[in-house]
Amino acid sequence: MKRVVMLAAVAACAMAQVKFTDVTAAAGIQFRHNAGKTGKKYLPETMGAGCAFLDVDGDGWLDVLFVNSRDWTPRGKRSYPALYRNNRNGTFTNITAQSGLQVEGYGMGVAVGDYDNDGRDDVYITFLEGDRLFRNEGGRFRDVTAASGIKNAAFGTSAAWVDYDKDGLLDLFVANYVQWSVKADLWCSLDGAKKSYCTPESYKASPSKLYRNLGGGKFADASVQAGVADATSKSLGVAVLDVDGDSWPDLFVANDTQPNKLYRNLKNGKFKEEGLAAGVAFGEDGVARGAMGVDAADYDRSGRAHLLVGNFSNQMLGLYHNEGNGLFVDEAPRSNVGRASLLSLAFAVFFWDFDNDGWLDLFAANGHIEEEIQRVQPKVAFAQAPHLFRNVGKGKFEEVTKAAGPHLQRPVVGRGAAYGDFDRDGDLDLLVSTNHGPGYLLRNDGGSANNWLSVRLRGTKSNRNGLGAVVRVESGGGKQAQLARSGSSYCSASDLAVHFGLARDAAVTLSVEWPSGVKQRFSGVKANQHLVVDESSGIAR
């Protein structure tokens, strides 16, 4: 108890100094999302799009990618994703034109992972017209969708790379939403007189996909065989977690107005759906909520993965605590998290340690889908400020958005969000995408006042990214553990490195448990380092 109080006091001191500064313009980033809005109120206009931190050229510095959508009919200037290369001095250069990613489509989400184990991270982008897989060939990408065998034109949203069968090759889960097309668009209204955006209940579901990596650049649709092709799911978010601690990756899928799904890995290529039995399918009232983004992590150091879900306005965030007996309990209704988020419509959500105090905090990017929502709900705004909740220990959180500076308080129509240390100063920065608006890069100023450790994995027997590995640190402040994972947030990809805040601890014992079964342990590892751990040779740098 005394130790928890002491750590909370240290964190409070650090928080007083943490501010998020909008460095978008200074960094040379000039991106604006085009939702193609012309007044026709097409459903996809409300949903896009995501963003990503990734290292395109393998230089150790994080680059930035924004997914874009497009006009429904050509109106002149074309819309493309935007890829910015990190110049290592706080600025970025737009390299989209020569990157191979300058393709037009109605884009939604992005997933980053090295599917061919060549040491270069590849990119998967979900498009309304059909998703695309881009192979990284040394800083330039090549569209290999047709050759890969992936065929998904089903309103894909979020996606995650995951080695679900532990064969050393990354497989791909794609969350699909609803069956919609321009020709099948429906007329809906808030007041009976003027068209508004339809809710997902108006459309049939589009089952999600699981593509098994066969090697050699080939994938096979394993959705039905694996048991994840639910015909009623309207999926917007996916998180990879180990729900029962058996070292096999499970999946949580956030569904909009349909029950959420918790797929437990049966270790034989199949999953068993246990969302209802686990208590995560519905809200406390037994009704399916408008779930969007999602993440999973051990926020209370219990050794178990808990869930964070972004929901519709008047529903509050979901903060599901894993009780360790197969059941989850939503802590949000009885906490500051629920009270503060009741009127927000949360898309991207994730756990992260923004102040490096050793306790995982919460972030939510918010924004409504209907521009005129205040006509019928005066207390609910279209543009909304994000939420930043600081973990104060003992499973409790306090909202600190206002204390984190004016740039974080700005109301936006938030959608995607990702975290990563783009300036390599030891604290996690923030990338936010908005619907039909600009993208933002927010620099963390002050989080590095506490100590930290960043661990990037390099698999040899396991997949190259080490996804599915459990990374642990032990120090004077206690024990922490994180699962190396892709996915989470909403339509976005955060840095794949595992980041630990260490408060005032100057050294740790570091251990890695790889999907292959290899276990490594390193004593006396100094804080404040960006480390690479190789599955065969150990700490590389």
Side-chain angles (χ1 to χ4, degrees):
M1 178 68 73
K2 291 181 179 179
R3 187 62 181 171
V4 170
V5 172
M6 184 181 74
L7 285 174
V10 170
C13 294
M15 178 56 212
Q17 302 172 18
V18 175
K19 306 289 183 183
F20 285 90
T21 303
D22 184 354
V23 296
T24 314
I29 293 174
Q30 299 176 323
F31 172 80
R32 189 174 185 88
H33 174 249
N34 175 23
K37 294 185 178 183
T38 59
K40 294 183 179 180
K41 301 281 186 173
Y42 290 151
L43 176 64
E45 296 172 1
T46 67
M47 307 308 296
C51 55
F53 276 121
L54 71 166
D55 185 358
V56 170
D57 49 11
D59 65 351
W61 292 76
L62 293 177
D63 309 301
V64 164
L65 174 65
F66 287 101
V67 178
N68 209 348
S69 303
R70 61 168 177 82
D71 295 327
W72 296 108
T73 55
R75 293 189 294 174
K77 186 178 180 181
R78 304 185 72 178
S79 301
Y80 303 112
L83 179 63
Y84 289 89
R85 185 187 64 217
N86 194 326
N87 297 327
R88 313 184 196 182
N89 60 2
T91 69
F92 291 77
T93 298
N94 190 330
I95 60 170
T96 311
Q98 63 266 35
S99 71
L101 297 180
Q102 187 166 291
V103 295
E104 191 171 42
Y106 208 93
M108 287 289 170
V110 57
V112 176
D114 184 1
Y115 77 87
D116 53 1
N117 289 333
D118 66 351
R120 297 187 288 261
D121 284 339
D122 310 297
V123 169
Y124 185 86
I125 300 180
T126 57
F127 287 99
L128 200 62
E129 308 89 338
D131 302 349
R132 299 193 185 189
L133 175 62
F134 297 93
R135 182 174 185 265
N136 188 338
E137 297 185 336
R140 179 175 173 81
F141 293 87
R142 181 165 60 92
D143 188 337
V144 296
T145 313
S148 74
I150 293 175
K151 296 180 180 179
N152 190 59
F155 207 150
T157 53
S158 299
W161 295 100
V162 53
D163 185 4
Y164 77 95
D165 52 4
K166 296 176 70 168
D167 65 352
L169 299 170
L170 289 181
D171 312 297
L172 180 68
F173 183 92
V174 184
N176 286 331
Y177 193 38
V178 297
Q179 298 178 34
W180 180 92
S181 68
V182 171
K183 290 183 179 180
D185 183 66
L186 301 175
W187 194 93
C188 300
S189 176
L190 287 172
D191 55 14
K194 194 175 181 182
K195 186 179 181 184
S196 63
Y197 292 107
C198 293
T199 63
E201 289 104 328
S202 305
Y203 297 96
K204 293 182 179 180
S206 184
S208 296
K209 293 287 188 179
L210 178 63
Y211 291 99
R212 182 170 177 261
N213 191 334
L214 304 176
K218 303 291 185 181
F219 290 80
D221 186 345
S223 314
V224 174
Q225 178 185 359
V228 299
D230 183 77
T232 65
S233 291
K234 301 175 181 180
S235 305
L236 291 176
V238 55
V240 180
L241 70 161
D242 183 359
V243 69
D244 49 8
D246 66 354
S247 300
W248 285 77
D250 309 302
L251 299 170
F252 178 83
V253 180
N255 288 317
D256 191 0
T257 69
Q258 293 293 314
N260 298 323
K261 303 295 182 182
L262 179 60
Y263 293 107
R264 184 168 60 85
N265 196 325
L266 299 180
K267 311 177 190 179
N268 60 359
K270 298 181 180 181
F271 292 82
K272 181 182 179 182
E273 204 288 299
E274 299 180 343
L276 180 61
V280 297
F282 302 101
E284 278 202 326
D285 56 1
V287 176
R289 296 192 280 193
M292 267 72 75
V294 63
D295 196 12
D298 180 9
Y299 68 80
D300 62 354
R301 299 191 186 181
S302 63
R304 301 185 293 270
H306 315 292
L307 291 164
L308 176 64
V309 182
N311 292 311
F312 209 77
S313 54
N314 297 304
Q315 294 180 344
M316 73 182 60
L317 291 170
L319 182 60
Y320 294 96
H321 185 269
N322 186 341
E323 299 294 296
N325 56 3
L327 297 175
F328 288 76
V329 174
D330 189 358
E331 299 288 349
R334 294 166 292 280
S335 72
N336 291 331
V337 172
R339 288 187 289 272
S341 64
L342 180 60
L343 298 180
S344 303
L345 199 166
F347 275 83
V349 296
F350 49 70
F351 294 101
W352 65 331
D353 189 355
F354 76 92
D355 55 2
N356 282 331
D357 68 348
W359 296 88
L360 292 175
D361 312 299
L362 313 181
F363 176 82
N366 306 315
H368 212 276
I369 62 171
E370 177 56 64
E371 296 98 323
E372 301 179 54
I373 186 61
Q374 285 191 304
R375 288 197 298 113
V376 292
Q377 296 187 44
K379 293 183 179 181
V380 178
F382 177 51
Q384 302 175 4
H387 288 303
L388 180 64
F389 294 96
R390 186 172 66 92
N391 190 333
V392 296
K394 296 174 25 176
K396 304 297 182 182
F397 295 87
E398 63 177 8
E399 185 167 20
V400 293
T401 312
K402 291 183 179 180
H407 296 157
L408 198 67
Q409 300 172 49
R410 174 175 44 208
V412 298
V413 187
R415 291 297 183 263
Y419 58 81
D421 183 8
F422 84 87
D423 51 2
R424 292 180 66 88
D425 67 348
D427 49 33
L428 294 174
D429 308 299
L430 184 61
L431 192 66
V432 177
S433 63
T434 66
N435 181 261
H436 208 58
Y440 296 100
L441 178 63
L442 301 176
R443 187 184 65 212
N444 184 330
D445 292 329
S448 57
N450 277 328
N451 293 332
W452 53 274
L453 187 68
S454 176
V455 181
R456 191 171 301 278
L457 301 177
R458 189 165 68 201
T460 52
K461 297 179 180 179
S462 304
N463 66 84
R464 183 69 176 228
N465 295 125
L467 300 186
V470 177
V471 185
R472 305 179 190 274
V473 295
E474 184 174 353
S475 61
K479 298 178 181 180
Q480 300 181 57
Q482 293 190 44
L483 180 73
R485 65 198 189 281
S486 165
S488 291
S489 187
Y490 168 79
C491 287
S492 299
S494 295
D495 183 19
L496 295 179
V498 179
H499 183 97
F500 293 98
L502 300 175
R504 299 306 183 194
D505 294 340
V508 304
T509 296
L510 170 68
S511 63
V512 183
E513 300 168 13
W514 296 84
S516 65
V518 171
K519 295 183 179 181
Q520 297 169 316
R521 184 176 177 88
F522 311 98
S523 300
V525 177
K526 293 183 179 179
N528 305 327
Q529 295 188 73
H530 290 273
L531 292 181
V532 174
V533 177
D534 186 281
E535 186 175 10
S536 297
S537 59
I539 294 177
R541 69 173 187 266

